[in-house]
Amino acid sequence: MTVAAGIGYALVALGPSLSLFICVISKKPFLILTLLSSTLVWLISLILLSGIWRAFLPLDSTKWWPFAILICTSVAFQEGLRLLFWKVYKRLEDTLDAFADRVSKPRLYLTDKMQIALAGGLGHGVAHAVFFCLSLLTPAFGPATYFVDRCSQIPFFLVSATIALAFVTVHTFSMVIAFNGYAEGNKVDQVFVPSVHLAAGMMTLINFANGGCVIGIPLLFMMVILTLMHCGRMVWRRLMENQRQGNS
């Protein structure tokens, strides 16, 4: 392969995130800070998780259950960190609202809160892509490509980039759903996010089967579509409720 192929794989994984950053995040400095802080937090969490699991390496690649345990513990840790991240954000939101009241300025609008959640989720997704995909792409800039025996139909780098794209999307919009669920006390949203996260993680285990990537990747993108649909419905409902409250 060539440099063009390596850049192409990177854009498969992070192209939509780059577009989202340019169109939404880059317009507000506070969103950029949120994105950077979120990326740093999630990268540190992934490094800590890898350090903990390093004591159990190497895992037996012929068995799927050690990886299932790894995924379950990782998802539980990250979802706990997501809740902590929201609590820190909530304190900051209360501080900003109190400051706005003192200087007779409007409080954060609903759209502002959603954009902050979006920036936090994008940071989570970018951290995942950097950790699990971009760190593997260096050989893709060389003169050849690489296939694995269990997925000989698709280049390994393309599989990694496609899976990274799926998880970036899930993490980005799951944060919007989760922040809304925590703020409203909506149990459906609070359960939906870790459930989709865990289901998406478990679907990657299908890649252990011969030709499993051909089945696992479409199933993973079904989780992406489900997340986008749920997020879209939730955002539309909140915006309509907010509009009715403004008109009343």
Side-chain angles (χ1 to χ4, degrees):
M1 303 301 284
T2 63
V3 173
I7 294 175
Y9 290 137
L11 288 176
V12 168
L14 289 175
S17 300
L18 180 61
S19 299
L20 189 59
F21 175 82
I22 294 172
C23 295
V24 181
I25 308 299
S26 64
K27 300 182 183 300
K28 297 182 179 181
F30 187 74
L31 295 181
I32 297 176
L33 291 175
T34 303
L35 170 64
L36 293 175
S37 60
S38 175
T39 303
L40 179 61
V41 166
W42 294 108
L43 275 175
I44 292 174
S45 74
L46 290 171
I47 291 171
L48 289 175
L49 281 170
S50 64
I52 293 171
W53 272 96
R54 186 176 179 82
F56 301 93
L57 296 179
L59 298 178
D60 188 352
S61 61
T62 62
K63 299 177 181 178
W64 62 269
W65 63 265
F67 295 92
I69 296 175
L70 187 153
I71 290 172
C72 289
T73 56
S74 299
V75 169
F77 181 84
Q78 291 186 58
E79 292 304 324
L81 186 59
R82 191 197 304 275
L83 178 58
L84 179 62
F85 188 77
W86 176 79
K87 289 185 176 181
V88 172
Y89 155 75
K90 187 61 179 174
R91 287 191 176 185
L92 179 60
E93 179 188 318
D94 294 339
T95 302
L96 292 174
D97 285 340
F99 177 77
D101 292 339
R102 285 199 301 271
V103 298
S104 301
K105 295 291 184 179
R107 293 188 169 197
L108 289 173
Y109 296 109
L110 176 62
T111 50
D112 294 327
K113 298 176 182 179
M114 288 183 174
Q115 287 178 353
I116 291 171
L118 186 70
L122 185 60
H124 187 184
V126 169
H128 185 281
V130 169
F131 198 85
F132 290 104
C133 178
L134 295 190
S135 61
L136 304 176
L137 284 185
T138 303
F141 289 85
T145 189
Y146 177 68
F147 292 85
V148 295
D149 293 337
R150 294 179 178 178
C151 187
S152 58
Q153 301 91 335
I154 310 174
F156 169 76
F157 302 116
L158 181 58
V159 172
S160 297
T162 306
I163 291 176
L165 171 62
F167 275 98
V168 169
T169 308
V170 168
H171 289 322
T172 299
F173 293 95
S174 287
M175 194 71 79
V176 180
I177 299 170
F179 273 34
N180 177 76
Y182 297 145
E184 287 189 321
N186 188 323
K187 297 298 182 183
V188 174
D189 288 346
Q190 292 177 16
V191 172
F192 177 87
V193 171
S195 298
V196 168
H197 190 179
L198 180 61
M202 288 300 182
M203 284 178 183
T204 61
L205 296 178
I206 300 176
N207 294 327
F208 280 102
N210 290 326
C213 60
V214 178
I215 300 173
I217 291 177
L219 289 177
L220 187 57
F221 274 87
M222 288 181 64
M223 292 293 100
V224 172
I225 294 171
L226 180 63
T227 302
L228 291 173
M229 290 176 60
H230 188 91
C231 184
R233 287 197 300 266
M234 182 275 295
V235 170
W236 179 260
R237 176 179 61 81
R238 288 301 311 279
L239 290 176
M240 291 299 100
E241 290 175 354
N242 188 65
Q243 185 178 22
R244 286 194 295 268
Q245 290 174 1
N247 294 333
S248 60

